[in-house]
Amino acid sequence: MNALRLLCLTVCCVCGLALSWGEGPAFAGQGDTALWRSIAAGVRQSLALKSRELAQIQAELPAAQAALAQTLAQESSRLDQLLLLRGVAGDTPWASRTLMMQLREIDNAVDVASASLEDMHDRLARTKEEYATLREIRHQNASREYTDLVSEELAGPGRDFRELKDEVDTVKAEVDAALGQATSLKKDVRDARKNEIERFVRLFGETYFASSGSLLRLANLRGAMDDLRQWVDTAPRFWGPILGWTDWGRFCLTGLFGFAVFWAGIALARRRWPAVSGLSRPGLFWLAAGLGLGLARHTVLFAGNQFTSLPWVLALCWGLVLLMPHGPVLSVLFGCFAAAACMDVLNMPASTIGIVWPAVAATAIMRLRRDQAGGASIVGFLTASAVAGIFGFGPQATALTEALFMLLLALGLTAAIQRRLDGLAAGRKHSLAGLASPLAVTLMATLYVAWVLVFMGGPGLMDRVFRMRLSIGKATFSLDALAMLFVVFFLLRLVQAWFFHLLAFVRLRGRTVEPALAHTVGAVFSYLTWTLFVLFGLHLFAVPLGALTWIASGLSVGIGFGLKDIVNNFVSGLIIMFGGAVKKGDIIQQGKNFGEVVDLSVRNTIMRTLDNTTVIIPNSSFLRGEIVNLTYQDASMRLTIPVTVAPGTKLKKVRKILLAAAKKHPDVLKSPPPEVAMIAFARFGLQFELYVWIDNFMKKFQVQSELATTIDQEFQDNKVMLAFQGVKVKYKPKGTEAMQLDAMREELRRKRSETFKRSRTLRRVHVRKRWPAPAPASSGEA
């Protein structure tokens, strides 16, 4: 801010303080008078500076007006020539694209020529604003004594400033008149460019979405030959003015300078990073050459045409091809790409492209066959494109071939970037390089789409495609908004990852942030950024927030009926996260679930049990019941290992063996130290318990098993007998269950047979005793 503006702000502050402190007579003191005299002296000094600035503007204005007038006359004549070149160029989209480039160059030339007058206009406008500020100070609503004091001290500077302002108005009127002529010419250029864009879109549709006629018909073949002869006659008349307007000397010098700068940067990178030094040197050379020519194409005035765009695009693409591991397929497709680009730049008619392109495709196929490279898909594609050219679809065949080459090139670059990021990640789960991989893929996909639209369609088509709108209700969707949303999404993921990593470097009172607190802060930051992302998406799609009132009303009803559990879990999650009862990494027991908390969100808590099973628990369940948190205050815990030895064993010997086994184990904490206690004279022997502390509950079963194994081995080495309850086994079945069942059935049949046999014998004896046999008859009677 200049000196006068600072003085004016000081005056305003003094006035405000004076008005708030007292009445008018208090302002006319000696201190206020000296202050206003100092302010008036500063205003006079600034007035002298403005006078010298006005004199400098008056001295420079004639030359600036003459230069602008000359440029406007030249560019107006060039505009008329471009409008006349429309008829000479022919109805092809590439000629129309060249005309659009030249119209943009005319607009840039007018901006460059009027830059000095624009600067003069801004300086004069600031002078007028400062005069208005001074008048406002002099006409403040204050007491009469205050007004008299201000008017007396600023009367002289105000009068001089008013005279300066009159001169400024006169000079500014001349500057505005000159800028008005430039604005009028720029309006004509914008109107001509708008009309040319509409013409380009029409020609683009007629060229790439219609057939120029099959060359198998004699009439179409004759028409194509006529178009070829007409093109040979008219094309040089179109190229001549375009090439004549290009400042080739400045273009070459700028390109050479850009090549030197980029090559020096590449050489420095080769020395510093081994990964760059391993790249192909010819590929880096062509890459630097393409970047240098591209710099010249976009910085030199009137170098924006098809003939300057072709070299830097081809050099850049060839450099990228050489930098990537490739076979003959990519090289052959680059040749097809270069041939198609040359035909487009030379403004060949569609029918002529149908004659030339089959020869180019046939040459590429023979090259692939000779090198025994390329799959059936590439050869089939080139064959189909050659046939399409014969049937009148030559421009479509060339466009698809260019798109295929650029797609393979983009895929190769994406794969190279991903390999590099994967190497930087080095297998780490939460590496920033690994998180940057999706962002790199999205950027490459966006750049590929933009490249295809710009290279094949030009700025007019790209602007038209990216500005296409689809309205659904009050939301408006567009391709540029979707691309921006995807890029911002992956950038947001990177920012969140960076924030989590930065929390590891934050120190509070000389100590790093606890993991649980870092997790809570990171979760809050994540929710906040996602909320901002949603609002940004609504802004991109032009969705007014007032249109979301019906969603809020629907949510209020839904919360009352179906969403109460979701809201309950959400509020419970906030209470848990900020209450600290359960934190990430805690060992908890909730009902039958027992394990470690691996993640905690506002919706639910994720727990990993001891058998590596993941349990997702709603947060509301934590507030309804009790929670056993084994690591609430400390992560360490005590293990109890019971041991029962035989009666008569020496107690000191057992205690010594148990303590020695505990102290040798690496996971047993030294503080608190291990302890041994004799519990009771049990039924089968002397019962001891070994108490040890470990730092993590997840090691519980491992430590128990290892200590039990060590104690058993030490007892065997020291001949200490463990007490066990004896069990007498009376019958031990053999074989499988089926065999045991068969044996039982066989035993049952045997017992039944014996029983039946005994019962039959007893029955016979009983019958003989109850009904004895009759006596035999005597022989005399017989």
Side-chain angles (χ1 to χ4, degrees):
M1 188 179 293
N2 54 32
L4 181 60
R5 194 174 296 274
L6 289 174
L7 290 174
C8 294
L9 289 175
T10 305
V11 170
C12 293
C13 294
V14 172
C15 295
L17 291 173
L19 288 173
S20 62
W21 284 346
E23 297 297 331
F27 302 130
Q30 187 68 26
D32 292 333
T33 304
L35 177 61
W36 279 109
R37 287 175 181 173
S38 175
I39 293 175
V43 173
R44 292 189 184 94
Q45 183 179 4
S46 178
L47 183 61
L49 294 175
K50 292 297 180 182
S51 299
R52 288 195 294 269
E53 184 179 10
L54 179 61
Q56 181 182 3
I57 291 175
Q58 289 174 338
E60 297 174 354
L61 182 58
Q65 287 177 325
L68 179 61
Q70 181 181 359
T71 301
L72 293 180
Q74 181 180 357
E75 301 309 321
S76 178
S77 175
R78 187 170 295 173
L79 175 61
D80 296 336
Q81 295 174 12
L82 284 176
L83 296 179
L84 291 175
L85 280 177
R86 286 182 177 179
V88 180
D91 292 337
T92 60
W94 289 91
S96 178
R97 178 181 177 181
T98 300
L99 295 177
M100 285 191 296
M101 289 183 178
Q102 292 299 311
L103 289 173
R104 176 175 289 182
E105 294 295 325
I106 292 177
D107 191 75
N108 294 336
V110 174
D111 288 337
V112 172
S114 59
S116 59
L117 288 175
E118 291 285 353
D119 181 63
M120 295 179 186
H121 177 272
D122 294 339
R123 288 187 289 174
L124 295 174
R126 285 196 298 269
T127 302
K128 294 187 64 176
E129 290 176 1
E130 291 164 0
Y131 176 72
T133 304
L134 183 62
R135 290 192 60 186
E136 182 180 355
I137 293 174
R138 294 186 61 190
H139 292 85
Q140 290 186 77
N141 294 325
S143 63
R144 180 176 180 181
E145 291 81 359
Y146 176 78
T147 303
D148 294 341
L149 175 62
V150 174
S151 299
E152 179 182 356
E153 296 298 335
L154 297 182
R159 183 173 54 255
D160 297 338
F161 225 126
R162 183 170 58 253
E163 295 176 358
L164 177 64
K165 185 256 182 186
D166 295 337
E167 296 181 7
V168 166
D169 289 339
T170 303
V171 177
K172 188 173 180 295
E174 297 180 9
V175 173
D176 291 341
L179 291 177
Q181 297 177 2
T183 303
S184 177
L185 180 58
K186 291 181 66 174
K187 182 179 181 300
D188 294 339
V189 173
R190 285 195 297 268
D191 293 340
R193 192 169 184 271
K194 181 179 179 181
N195 295 332
E196 191 61 36
I197 289 177
E198 295 178 356
R199 177 172 173 264
F200 169 79
V201 173
R202 177 179 60 82
L203 294 175
F204 188 88
E206 294 175 355
T207 302
Y208 289 100
F209 295 96
S211 173
S212 60
S214 174
L215 297 180
L216 298 179
R217 298 180 59 185
L218 185 59
N220 293 335
L221 183 59
R222 290 177 179 176
M225 298 304 297
D226 293 338
D227 292 340
L228 179 60
R229 286 191 293 268
Q230 184 179 1
W231 171 73
V232 172
D233 181 55
T234 59
R237 285 183 290 174
F238 174 70
W239 302 336
I242 303 298
L243 295 174
W245 291 336
T246 305
D247 190 352
W248 291 104
R250 183 175 297 178
F251 175 79
C252 294
L253 289 176
T254 306
L256 185 60
F257 172 76
F259 168 75
V261 171
F262 287 115
W263 185 252
I266 290 173
L268 181 62
R270 285 171 60 89
R271 294 179 181 177
R272 187 166 184 178
W273 292 294
V276 180
S277 62
L279 298 177
S280 171
R281 189 178 182 88
L284 294 175
F285 174 83
W286 284 106
L287 182 65
L291 292 175
L293 292 175
L295 177 66
R297 154 67 180 83
H298 291 89
T299 55
V300 177
L301 199 59
F302 287 104
N305 55 64
Q306 299 295 105
F307 303 100
T308 55
S309 300
L310 181 63
W312 83 268
V313 170
L314 294 181
L316 184 64
C317 292
W318 181 241
L320 293 175
V321 169
L322 294 178
L323 289 176
M324 294 188 303
H326 67 285
V329 175
L330 199 58
S331 301
V332 170
L333 287 179
F334 171 77
C336 297
F337 171 79
C342 290
M343 287 188 288
D344 293 332
V345 169
L346 295 177
N347 196 26
M348 282 189 176
S351 58
T352 306
I353 294 177
I355 297 175
V356 178
W357 181 250
V360 175
T363 304
I365 293 173
M366 288 188 295
R367 173 66 184 275
L368 292 175
R369 291 300 187 187
R370 187 188 66 182
D371 296 338
Q372 296 182 355
S377 58
I378 299 296
V379 175
F381 174 82
L382 293 175
T383 304
S385 67
V387 174
I390 295 175
F391 280 94
F393 295 96
Q396 293 88 334
T398 57
L400 290 177
T401 304
E402 292 170 340
L404 176 62
F405 168 75
M406 289 187 284
L407 176 62
L408 295 178
L409 193 62
L411 292 177
L413 288 175
T414 304
I417 293 173
Q418 286 183 319
R419 285 194 299 269
R420 180 60 179 167
L421 292 176
D422 292 341
L424 293 176
R428 289 175 292 179
K429 183 177 180 181
H430 299 291
S431 173
L432 295 180
L435 293 172
S437 182
L439 176 62
V441 174
T442 304
L443 289 176
M444 288 302 300
T446 305
L447 289 176
Y448 170 73
V449 174
W451 187 11
V452 170
L453 291 176
V454 171
F455 184 79
M456 297 175 56
L461 181 64
M462 186 187 71
D463 295 341
R464 191 178 185 90
V465 170
F466 274 89
R467 292 176 183 175
M468 292 176 63
R469 299 292 186 265
L470 176 63
S471 297
I472 301 177
K474 294 186 178 182
T476 303
F477 298 91
S478 61
L479 188 60
D480 57 345
L482 290 175
M484 178 63 69
L485 190 67
F486 277 109
V487 173
V488 172
F489 171 79
F490 289 112
L491 284 176
L492 178 62
R493 293 290 297 155
L494 273 181
V495 170
Q496 291 175 351
W498 289 335
F499 184 79
F500 278 106
H501 280 262
L502 286 176
L503 288 177
F505 299 97
V506 176
R507 291 185 173 273
L508 298 176
R509 297 179 180 179
R511 300 177 60 185
T512 58
V513 180
E514 296 181 358
L517 179 60
H519 177 266
T520 302
V521 174
V524 172
F525 178 78
S526 177
Y527 297 139
L528 178 62
T529 51
W530 282 124
T531 302
L532 295 177
F533 175 76
V534 172
L535 296 177
F536 177 73
L538 295 177
H539 173 72
L540 279 180
F541 298 136
V543 178
L545 296 180
L548 302 179
T549 54
W550 63 273
I551 298 179
S553 60
L555 282 177
S556 61
V557 178
I559 290 172
F561 291 97
L563 301 180
K564 59 180 181 179
D565 292 336
I566 297 177
V567 176
N568 187 14
N569 290 326
F570 181 81
V571 176
S572 302
L574 294 178
I575 295 174
I576 293 173
M577 291 176 64
F578 291 99
V582 177
K583 304 180 293 296
K584 181 181 178 181
D586 286 352
I587 307 298
I588 65 173
Q589 181 177 2
Q590 196 271 339
K592 297 181 179 179
N593 301 314
F594 192 85
E596 179 186 7
V597 177
V598 295
D599 193 14
L600 181 64
S601 64
V602 295
R603 173 66 180 87
N604 48 47
T605 300
I606 301 177
M607 177 193 299
R608 188 178 68 244
T609 61
L610 297 179
D611 56 355
N612 202 26
T613 301
T614 300
V615 181
I616 301 175
I617 306 173
N619 289 329
S620 58
S621 62
F622 283 102
L623 301 183
R624 287 198 295 263
E626 63 179 14
I627 305 173
V628 179
N629 193 337
L630 300 179
T631 58
Y632 182 74
Q633 294 180 342
D634 192 359
S636 60
M637 70 170 300
R638 192 182 74 170
L639 300 182
T640 301
I641 302 176
V643 177
T644 303
V645 298
T649 307
K650 295 182 179 180
L651 302 183
K652 292 183 179 180
K653 186 176 183 180
V654 175
R655 187 185 301 273
K656 181 178 179 181
I657 292 174
L658 294 178
L659 290 177
K663 292 179 180 180
K664 290 180 181 179
H665 199 282
D667 291 328
V668 174
L669 299 179
K670 301 298 186 289
S671 179
E675 297 179 355
V676 177
M678 180 178 175
I679 302 302
F681 295 97
R683 179 179 178 183
F684 303 105
L686 306 178
Q687 186 176 350
F688 290 84
E689 286 187 354
L690 172 63
Y691 305 114
V692 296
W693 291 83
I694 58 175
D695 59 353
N696 191 350
F697 175 80
M698 305 304 290
K699 303 177 182 178
K700 173 183 176 181
F701 298 103
Q702 177 184 358
V703 173
Q704 284 181 336
S705 175
E706 293 175 354
L707 283 178
T709 304
T710 303
I711 291 172
D712 179 68
Q713 184 64 40
E714 291 292 333
F715 280 176
Q716 292 182 23
D717 295 341
N718 291 273
K719 299 181 180 180
V720 176
M721 296 182 62
L722 296 175
F724 294 101
Q725 180 180 3
V727 178
K728 184 178 181 181
V729 180
K730 299 178 63 178
Y731 170 74
K732 182 177 181 181
K734 298 181 179 180
T736 62
E737 184 177 358
M739 295 174 63
Q740 295 173 15
L741 291 175
D742 293 339
M744 292 173 62
R745 293 190 187 98
E746 184 64 28
E747 182 68 18
L748 182 61
R749 284 194 295 269
R750 185 183 63 78
K751 290 183 178 181
R752 185 180 299 172
S753 177
E754 291 179 356
T755 303
F756 288 164
K757 182 179 179 181
R758 188 176 296 121
S759 64
R760 284 194 297 268
T761 304
L762 292 175
R763 189 180 298 114
R764 292 190 192 101
V765 172
H766 177 73
V767 170
R768 283 196 301 268
K769 287 182 178 183
R770 187 171 183 180
W771 294 285
S778 61
S779 59
E781 293 179 357

